[in-house]
Amino acid sequence: MSGSYLSQLLHGLAVTAEITAFAAVLATLLAVIGGVGLASPNFLLRGVSRFYVEIFRGTSLLVQLFWIYYVLPSFGLSLDPFAAGVAAIALNSGAYGAEAVRGAISALPRGQWEAAKALGLPRRVTLHKVILPQACIFLLPQWGNFLIESMKATAVVSFISIMDLSFVGYQINARTFDTITVYGLVLLIYFAFSQIIVVPARAAERRYRLRGIQTASRAERAA
Amino acid sequence: MIFDFGFALSIMPLLAKAALTTIFATICGFALAMIVGLAAAVARRYGGRGLALAVRFTAEFIRSTPLLVQIFFLFFLAPKIGITLPPLVAGILALGLHYGAYLAEVYRSGFEAVPKGQWEAAKALGLNRWLTLRLVVLRQAIQPIVPAMGNYFIAMFKETPLLSAIAVIELMASAKLIAAETFRYVEPVTLVGIFFLLMSAAGALLTRYAEQRLQIPR
């Protein structure tokens, strides 16, 4: 009995994984772009980024999903459920991530900018080659959690009838009322998935933290 | 005109009523989360090794799985074990447990901020463990964690629309009902969004105020 649940639930998991993958990639991109925008000296860029971040952090994910799926068509933009789900989660997680990226950029010592300027590097090159690589190492420990939060957020797509893990679980439960087995399995699958996501993120963290510490201690010696 | 202001105005009373449910669920859920989180943090720090491990794993499990699924689980599980939970109560329980797992970490960072010497000094004064915890440690542990608490309060507030899944008529559910009756999504969903935006801003201000009020004079 629970064997047949499992195969149905794993189909749901495939959908959840697909949405998580698309949303996580887009959210990471949005976070970097938004974070760079928030830290930009350009008034317009900073204003646009701030507006994006405040809107998507200040309202609820479910409200954003409904707005994108039900309201945007009134403005002439119709998205299918999958695209709407990915867009809502990416925009929402990206806004939270952008604030973290901004924090990492501003946490770097000013000397990094000044040294790059002294070397005659243009701002763009400084950002790409000096600031962002260091900010990334700084952010790695948070990135695993960021991915898990995005993965958990995908459960809301069942509100627009996408057959993800939550929705499949809901349907099986409605049919069988075998609540403990069904929801027990759903929760275990989500947990296992989160652990799979977090393992590579933690490995990357271990690998790069060493280098980060080395650079930091070298900087201390120099100081 | 895509956004009909007259219509928006006419649905305000309905939405305002539903907003009360949203606020009620948030306050009750957070009160529960504060108790659950404190109990979990105390158990992890001052309970035995077995208890600490069990609490740690449970919290990790709760934090790694979606709140929506936990809401459904609690809601459908309760009648199985002979309890009839009204949807709102099931929703508040789920919110409280979920955020309790997060708040446990917040309390933990607060405990770590209290120097060991405070325990030793309290012992020297003859206070027992419970009195030390209540009068000396908690007081100092809570002040530095107020900003993090405030953030989770606002985060929980923004997750209450998930309760619409088990037919709690909070803001989002009310907006959906209005939309289903009138075939107009623009106004109700936009108004709900604006409401959340304003309340989040108010919550951020309130957190800053609480942080200043709780400053321990030195």
Side-chain angles (χ1 to χ4, degrees):
Chain A
M1 217 23 219
S2 62
S4 73
Y5 293 165
L6 197 60
S7 72
Q8 291 172 58
L9 290 174
L10 289 179
H11 276 110
L13 174 65
V15 176
T16 293
E18 204 178 340
I19 296 174
T20 305
F22 278 110
V25 170
L26 281 174
T28 306
L29 272 174
L30 279 168
V32 173
I33 297 169
V36 169
L38 286 176
S40 162
N42 183 315
F43 169 77
L44 193 68
L45 255 176
R46 211 171 53 232
V48 171
S49 315
R50 183 46 69 194
F51 181 75
Y52 157 62
V53 168
E54 293 306 326
I55 290 286
F56 280 91
R57 283 180 29 176
T59 57
S60 165
L61 171 60
L62 192 61
V63 179
Q64 290 155 23
L65 178 68
F66 274 56
W67 213 84
I68 290 172
Y69 188 62
Y70 291 113
V71 177
L72 271 189
S74 308
F75 294 90
L77 181 62
S78 297
L79 295 176
D80 63 63
F82 188 89
V86 168
I89 294 157
L91 285 164
N92 184 274
S93 299
Y96 283 93
E99 198 63 69
V101 171
R102 185 202 60 81
I105 291 176
S106 61
L108 288 177
R110 276 183 60 86
Q112 296 287 333
W113 287 101
E114 289 160 359
K117 199 168 190 177
L119 290 171
L121 296 182
R123 212 194 120 79
R124 265 185 56 148
V125 179
T126 308
L127 199 61
H128 273 168
K129 302 281 181 192
V130 182
I131 302 298
L132 281 182
Q134 297 185 75
C136 282
I137 290 173
F138 195 82
L139 286 167
L140 263 177
Q142 299 169 45
W143 196 53
N145 276 341
F146 177 72
L147 293 182
I148 291 186
E149 290 300 324
S150 305
M151 183 278 282
K152 281 164 54 187
T154 62
V156 299
V157 300
S158 47
F159 275 92
I160 53 172
S161 305
I162 293 179
M163 300 277 280
D164 76 323
L165 183 52
S166 301
F167 195 70
V168 174
Y170 180 82
Q171 282 184 323
I172 301 176
N173 181 63
R175 206 167 57 231
T176 62
F177 280 106
D178 196 357
T179 306
I180 294 174
T181 315
V182 175
Y183 273 106
L185 277 172
V186 171
L187 286 171
L188 280 174
I189 295 173
Y190 269 117
F191 181 68
F193 188 35
S194 75
Q195 298 305 302
I196 291 170
I197 291 175
V198 99
V199 165
R202 296 239 164 100
E205 184 192 330
R206 264 195 302 279
R207 190 184 141 88
Y208 288 102
R209 191 172 42 194
L210 286 176
R211 266 202 238 168
I213 287 166
Q214 273 169 11
T215 31
S217 58
R218 219 177 289 149
E220 274 158 29
R221 246 177 283 143
Chain B
M1 187 69 200
I2 293 174
F3 192 95
D4 182 342
F5 282 95
F7 176 62
L9 213 60
S10 72
I11 59 174
M12 285 281 209
L14 263 177
L15 289 177
K17 215 178 127 203
L20 289 181
T21 309
T22 293
I23 293 169
F24 178 75
T26 310
I27 291 173
C28 293
F30 202 74
L32 183 61
M34 283 177 81
I35 297 166
V36 170
L38 181 60
V42 170
R44 254 192 86 170
R45 198 172 170 88
Y46 306 111
R49 189 179 291 172
L51 182 65
L53 205 68
V55 169
R56 197 177 142 191
F57 178 78
T58 311
E60 173 84 28
F61 189 87
I62 292 176
R63 281 198 304 265
S64 306
T65 51
L67 174 60
L68 179 64
V69 180
Q70 293 164 9
I71 292 172
F72 277 132
F73 191 31
L74 264 180
F75 182 60
F76 291 123
L77 182 71
K80 289 263 162 193
I81 52 176
I83 312 165
T84 23
L85 286 184
L88 183 58
V89 177
I92 288 171
L93 279 178
L95 284 173
L97 285 176
H98 189 81
Y99 277 87
Y102 281 95
L103 291 192
E105 287 298 309
V106 176
Y107 281 115
R108 197 167 68 100
S109 69
F111 283 143
E112 271 162 18
V114 180
K116 244 185 98 119
Q118 296 288 329
W119 279 100
E120 288 157 5
K123 198 168 187 179
L125 290 172
L127 295 181
N128 63 26
R129 273 175 82 89
W130 167 246
L131 280 179
T132 309
L133 195 64
R134 197 166 64 96
L135 298 176
V136 181
V137 176
L138 279 186
R139 180 79 174 86
Q140 297 180 71
I142 283 175
Q143 192 269 334
I145 60 176
V146 169
M149 287 282 201
N151 284 342
Y152 279 116
F153 182 73
I154 298 168
M156 172 188 278
F157 174 65
K158 285 180 294 191
E159 289 216 83
T160 52
L162 293 180
L163 300 190
S164 64
I166 52 170
V168 175
I169 308 297
E170 46 63 69
L171 261 181
M172 198 66 233
S174 172
K176 256 167 89 178
L177 287 175
I178 294 171
E181 271 170 29
T182 59
F183 299 105
R184 290 200 65 101
Y185 275 98
V186 181
E187 295 84 0
V189 180
T190 307
L191 283 178
V192 172
I194 292 171
F195 173 81
F196 274 105
L197 204 56
L198 292 178
M199 290 300 283
S200 302
L205 285 177
L206 206 68
T207 307
R208 209 167 304 158
Y209 174 74
E211 197 186 338
Q212 282 162 1
R213 276 300 301 274
L214 284 171
Q215 206 77 260
I216 297 173
R218 300 202 181 262

